[in-house]
Amino acid sequence: MTEAGPFGKVAVLGAGSWGTAFSVVLADAGNEVTLWARREEVAAAITSGRENPDYLPGLTLPDAVSATHDIERALSGADVVVLATPSQTLRENLVGWAPHLEPDAVLVSLMKGVELGTLKRMSEVIHEVTGAHADRVAVISGPNLSGEIARREPAASVVACADEDVAKQLQLRVHSPAFRPYTSTDVVGCELGGAYKNVVALAVGMAVGLGFGDNTTASIITRGLAETARLATRLGANPLTLMGLAGLGDLVATCSSPLSRNRTFGEKLGRGMTTEEIYASTRQVAEGAKSCSSLRALAAKHGVDAPLVSIVDEVVTGRLTAQEMVDITLARDTKAETD
């Protein structure tokens, strides 16, 4: 992997709101960025108008960002490849992309989910499909609401990789005037913190949609963090990771902001919409709605008590209403705060 500096090439695969916003971070940090779009018309709109009208309208992209629908062109010469697709489509996409990756490219996941069926984290899927060793697979996670990042509002995040030197090199590559990255070797903690907070945000959104206030949402956030920590530490994460940007920081932002897709999805559930109706009303993906069942299964597999993710899964799949979720939660036996 090359040292940071002007014109090092990064490929960003996925031109949704987060992939586009992170392209701005990378360009501001001095990289040459090629943004791959699944739909050819999105790539054409970015090329002709210097903005992504479908996901971040009104934001002028830096000159260092180009767009293409051609995956070979996107990946050619890229020593860093940033993956910004929905988590449940990663495996299918990677199978087609893997032959075009540069042999030593570092693969960076921006995704926050756990794969349905296999119960694998995104870094595990990347390793399985591409054969990339752990020292070439990294994760970036933290309080990263894409609209604010794109507007260059100050933000911080965590770059995690099993190889600390690679994490530090990536830190240089993504450190822009408005984006401050920290490093970690706790990939497990960062990934599970990022995936679980989406489910907690769904629960918070449901409470808001039902008309409840700050005491209720604060209680859900706190209990959600405890549940996240139980599962993450059982799988080998450092508990301090869950207290930092990739844990508590990401959780607070996603649960508190009206910009959060997962909180918004939860609010609509709380107001009585079904999951299918919500999907039909937006092209944005709420990762928590997709990952709640896989996180529930992962917790069960490892014998971890996960009442919040279980009850959210019941609502998302239509087996319970949001109001029934609240009633069941309140009726549940209480335990010691340390449980």
Side-chain angles (χ1 to χ4, degrees), residues 161-180:
C161 182
D163 187 317
E164 187 175 11
D165 289 337
V166 173
K168 288 179 178 178
Q169 290 180 59
L170 281 173
Q171 179 186 38
L172 295 175
R173 295 289 290 268
V174 304
H175 190 179
S176 74
F179 189 82
R180 184 177 180 85

Side-chain angles (χ1 to χ4, degrees), residues 50-325:
R50 305 305 308 153
E51 70 173 69
N52 186 335
D54 283 2
Y55 294 98
L56 289 173
L59 173 75
T60 301
L61 296 175
D63 291 340
V65 176
S66 63
T68 183
H69 176 64
D70 183 337
I71 193 64
E72 291 187 52
R73 176 186 162 196
L75 292 174
S76 178
D79 65 337
V80 176
V81 177
V82 176
L83 301 163
T85 66
S87 58
Q88 302 306 329
T89 68
L90 173 63
R91 181 181 296 274
E92 178 184 357
N93 284 318
L94 265 182
V95 168
W97 295 340
H100 307 295
L101 294 167
E102 297 292 348
D104 297 322
V106 173
L107 309 177
V108 183
S109 170
L110 298 186
M111 298 160 291
K112 298 179 178 179
V114 171
E115 189 176 44
L116 292 166
T118 68
L119 309 184
K120 292 183 182 293
R121 293 174 284 108
M122 296 297 98
S123 64
E124 294 176 307
V125 175
I126 293 168
H127 166 71
E128 186 174 288
V129 175
T130 69
H133 190 269
D135 63 4
R136 287 178 47 219
V137 181
V139 173
I140 294 179
S141 191
N144 302 138
L145 296 164
S146 57
E148 294 183 1
I149 298 291
R151 293 192 296 271
R152 297 179 173 88
E153 296 182 16
S157 198
V158 178
V159 179
C161 182
D163 187 317
E164 187 175 11
D165 289 337
V166 173
K168 288 179 178 178
Q169 290 180 59
L170 281 173
Q171 179 186 38
L172 295 175
R173 295 289 290 268
V174 304
H175 190 179
S176 74
F179 189 82
R180 184 177 180 85
Y182 294 81
T183 61
S184 172
T185 57
D186 186 8
V187 174
V188 175
C190 287
E191 286 193 292
L192 288 179
Y196 224 104
K197 58 93 185 181
N198 287 329
V199 179
V200 181
L202 286 173
V204 167
M206 290 181 213
V208 172
L210 287 165
F212 297 119
D214 293 338
N215 287 332
T216 305
T217 58
S219 298
I220 293 171
I221 290 170
T222 305
R223 298 315 304 160
L225 181 60
E227 192 169 308
T228 307
R230 280 200 300 271
L231 178 59
T233 54
R234 178 67 61 86
L235 294 176
N238 183 339
L240 291 179
T241 299
L242 283 305
M243 300 299 110
L245 288 164
L248 181 60
D250 200 6
L251 183 65
V252 169
T254 306
C255 291
S256 302
S257 175
L259 298 175
S260 164
R261 293 176 234 171
N262 290 281
R263 174 180 153 140
T264 300
F265 196 105
E267 286 184 44
K268 292 177 180 179
L269 288 171
R271 293 198 293 267
M273 292 180 68
T274 67
T275 297
E276 290 72 23
E277 289 170 340
I278 300 169
Y279 283 146
S281 69
T282 179
R283 62 161 54 98
Q284 298 276 20
V285 175
E287 291 280 19
K290 298 288 187 180
S291 290
C292 55
S293 63
S294 52
L295 283 167
R296 181 182 187 177
L298 185 64
K301 177 181 178 180
H302 293 278
V304 174
D305 186 33
L308 185 64
V309 77
S310 298
I311 205 76
V312 169
D313 184 45
E314 293 289 302
V315 178
V316 169
T317 53
R319 293 189 287 265
L320 288 176
T321 66
Q323 182 60 59
E324 288 170 335
M325 177 198 78

